Amino acid sequence: MAHTDNELRDTLTTLTERWEQIAASAEARADAAANGTLSEVGHARAHTIRRLARDVADVLNTGRIPHDLMTTAELENHGKPAAALRGGTR
């Protein structure tokens, strides 16, 4: 079944909202943890989940991959004129 761009965008937006909820829950559990190591792990997990949600939201808003997620080839071509990307002079 083919989905429209709007349906896909709505689905990804819902996913980012759920990740934010999961991150908040992980952070709350980390705050309540009596063990310092568990607290640190929980906060790190919450940070990672929030970062994922933010990255997806950035792609939806800008249409571009965040700089820190680009492959080496994408980074090499980042910001170069279109002619350079087609194999022209660099």
Side-chain angles (χ1 to χ4, degrees), residues 32-90:
N35 181 322
T37 302
L38 289 178
S39 178
E40 289 176 26
V41 170
H43 281 285
R45 180 173 184 243
H47 174 77
T48 300
I49 293 168
R50 278 201 174 96
R51 180 64 184 252
L52 291 168
R54 196 168 43 247
D55 288 342
V56 171
D58 285 348
V59 170
L60 290 172
N61 290 328
T62 66
R64 294 184 308 249
I65 296 172
H67 192 265
D68 60 326
L69 294 179
M70 288 183 178
T71 64
T72 302
E74 290 167 331
L75 286 170
E76 288 173 357
N77 292 323
H78 184 68
K80 293 186 179 178
L85 295 177
R86 289 190 304 268
T89 58
R90 292 181 182 213

